[in-house]
Amino acid sequence: MNAIAAVCQLLVALAFLSIPLVRHRFGPDAKAAADAELTGQGVRPAVLEENGLRFDAGGHETWAPVAVATVMSVLAVLNLAQNPWSTSLTWIFQCAVILMNVLIVYSNLTAVKSVEAAFRRKNDPELARIDVATFLKAAEGAFPSWVQLLQKARHAIVFGASALALTAVTLAG
């Protein structure tokens, strides 16, 4: 059963690593599309970077998924070694990963409202002029269509593999 948990944890690690890989490969295209949309709206594209909005794999878009992948990989090794801490640590970190993924799904579903609210908090008249829904749609459209499928598969893997890992370590204990 510990081997099943380990395989599931490695699948979760790979799922999280897909985030910065896709953003690294297609982020510049998304930025170019967003810049073009902003120009069309009469807004300087530089306003994005001035306010910390990015489409590449920089910052937390890389370190957070890599950290999750690292933790999941360490847990997989502990499970394969049948380390006595593996069950407790799997319960702690697998539940944390499930909660993180819930926040990611929520963030994806509320992206327009979240960005609009963030722009309002900045109290910047230039940001206030941006049609956020159109702007985000332009950036999203720069990613290949298969990225949406990958995103759904990633969520299914994270939720399903996490549940299976928790079940496996529970039955093994």
Side-chain angles (χ1 to χ4, degrees):
M1 286 296 181
N2 287 61
I4 292 171
V7 168
C8 290
Q9 288 161 334
L10 291 174
L11 288 172
V12 170
L14 290 172
F16 268 87
L17 287 177
S18 71
I19 298 167
L21 291 174
V22 167
R23 288 182 76 90
H24 175 74
R25 169 61 183 90
F26 300 106
D29 297 339
K31 182 181 180 337
D35 287 351
E37 175 58 34
L38 289 179
T39 299
Q41 292 184 25
V43 177
R44 294 177 309 113
V47 74
L48 295 181
E49 289 178 31
E50 292 168 4
N51 286 280
L53 187 60
R54 307 169 63 150
F55 293 99
D56 63 5
H60 77 280
E61 294 290 347
T62 295
W63 69 256
V66 169
V68 170
T70 301
V71 168
M72 289 294 104
S73 298
V74 169
L75 286 176
V77 170
L78 291 175
N79 272 305
L80 287 173
Q82 297 186 0
N83 184 289
W85 284 93
S86 64
T87 299
S88 298
L89 292 174
T90 292
W91 270 96
I92 292 166
F93 289 108
Q94 214 69 57
C95 289
V97 163
I98 291 169
L99 291 174
M100 280 187 271
N101 210 55
V102 166
L103 292 175
I104 291 168
V105 170
Y106 178 78
S107 173
N108 290 344
L109 293 174
T110 62
V112 172
K113 288 181 182 179
S114 297
V115 172
E116 287 173 341
F119 284 2
R120 275 193 305 277
R121 282 192 303 273
K122 295 280 187 176
N123 220 9
D124 181 328
E126 195 167 23
L127 290 175
R129 292 196 328 256
I130 297 174
D131 177 346
V132 173
T134 304
F135 153 73
L136 290 177
K137 186 174 177 100
E140 183 180 296
F143 288 93
S145 59
W146 58 262
V147 171
Q148 286 291 337
L149 179 60
L150 174 65
Q151 184 178 8
K152 290 176 181 151
R154 191 187 72 71
H155 292 313
I157 289 167
V158 170
F159 288 129
S162 293
L164 187 55
L166 290 171
T167 302
V169 296
T170 301
L171 293 176

